Amino acid sequence: IGSFVNCLAWRLYKEETILGRSYCPKCLKKIKWYDNIPLLSFILLKGKCRACSQKISWQYPLVELAGGILFCLAFLYFGWSLLLLFKSFVVIAILILVFIFDWRWYLIPTSSLLWGGGIIAILGAFAYPFSLTYYLFALIVIISLAIFFFGAQYLVTKGRGIGEGDIWLGAFLGIVFPNIRELSVAILSAYLIGAVVGLGLMAFKHKKWGSRLPLGVFLTIGALISLFWGQQLAAWYLSLF
């Protein structure tokens, strides 16, 4: 799945169909099946395309490895609760896709992927006993988070501090985390990690004050942290008071 997400990110960016065999983005030669085995092919090819000998980006094996690890973590965390497991797989795949997009191109795909993933996340809630209060609160959280990103950041900074895609990503996270504790962990983790990375980049003179950083990258990391450890981190933080 990590390999597919790599391919999907490139095809969406280039506005190409996801149908058809994978190809080298440099020489455009179609990739043989035995050169397209996740992780293994990268090692056997020594990180180079068989046809043109150009280097293959480290993005491909790293995303494949990260995807495998995250899916294993999801299984260890959710076990055989199939609805929750399927929801977590979809959410993880979308977060990886957003990470790639925002990291490479400072864009967030606001297509039907986020909407479809949001619907699946809502269906995942049916793994719990039905509660009208739960869904009403979830709706309030989604709207509030979208308003927060749009009003508090997009309008105030006139679009320089945050993009439109981040607003939709915020709404998506509101669907994934209707529990206010888990949502708080996701958002606070994102800003904390973003601040640390930003200060580090400025310290090493890779960025200047006011330089743009891909917020979606940090939001996806915060979301993954909360997906697995949100409740525990929230409980630990509240125990300090």
Side-chain angles (χ1 to χ4, degrees):
I1 296 176
S3 179
F4 172 74
V5 170
N6 263 324
C7 175
L8 181 60
W10 179 255
R11 301 286 180 96
L12 286 175
Y13 178 70
K14 302 295 286 186
E15 298 183 346
E16 297 176 352
T17 176
I18 62 172
L19 302 177
R21 282 170 41 194
S22 299
Y23 61 86
C24 172
K26 295 176 181 176
C27 69
L28 305 182
K29 293 286 187 180
K30 291 183 178 179
I31 299 174
K32 303 290 187 181
W33 69 266
Y34 48 79
D35 287 335
N36 206 22
I37 302 172
L39 292 177
L40 183 60
S41 291
F42 183 84
I43 296 172
L44 294 176
L45 291 171
K46 298 180 180 179
K48 295 181 180 180
C49 171
R50 186 185 296 275
C52 65
S53 298
Q54 293 292 312
K55 289 184 178 180
I56 301 171
S57 171
W58 276 92
Q59 169 194 320
Y60 294 95
L62 290 177
V63 168
E64 291 165 358
L65 179 62
I69 292 172
L70 289 171
F71 288 133
C72 285
L73 282 176
F75 176 75
L76 292 174
Y77 189 83
F78 295 107
W80 289 104
S81 180
L82 296 183
L83 194 56
L84 287 176
L85 191 61
F86 178 68
K87 169 195 168 183
S88 68
F89 281 179
V90 172
V91 169
I92 289 169
I94 290 176
L95 291 176
I96 293 174
L97 178 68
V98 171
F99 183 99
I100 295 171
F101 245 80
D102 212 24
W103 177 271
R104 290 198 61 179
W105 303 298
Y106 282 68
L107 293 170
I108 291 179
T110 55
S111 65
S112 56
L113 284 171
L114 286 178
W115 290 107
I119 292 172
I120 291 173
I122 291 173
L123 293 176
F126 285 102
Y128 302 103
F130 178 80
S131 170
L132 181 60
T133 305
Y134 173 89
Y135 288 103
L136 289 175
F137 183 73
L139 181 61
I140 293 172
V141 168
I142 295 166
I143 295 173
S144 300
L145 201 59
I147 292 174
F148 167 73
F149 279 113
F150 182 70
Q153 299 196 160
Y154 186 76
L155 290 180
V156 172
T157 64
K158 297 181 180 180
R160 293 192 299 270
I162 187 173
E164 182 183 348
D166 296 306
I167 299 171
W168 294 115
L169 178 58
F172 173 72
L173 295 182
I175 298 173
V176 175
F177 302 113
N179 183 303
I180 194 65
R181 291 188 177 184
E182 294 178 348
L183 180 61
S184 298
V185 169
I187 300 299
L188 292 175
S189 297
Y191 280 101
L192 179 61
I193 295 170
V196 171
V197 171
L199 290 172
L201 290 173
M202 285 191 292
F204 288 98
K205 301 187 184 301
H206 292 296
K207 291 284 185 180
K208 296 180 180 180
W209 183 263
S211 295
R212 188 181 177 190
L213 287 176
L215 178 60
V217 167
F218 305 115
L219 285 173
T220 57
I221 295 173
L224 289 170
I225 291 172
S226 188
L227 184 66
F228 298 117
W229 303 289
Q231 289 285 359
Q232 296 91 322
L233 288 173
W236 168 80
Y237 178 75
L238 292 174
S239 70
L240 299 177
F241 301 94

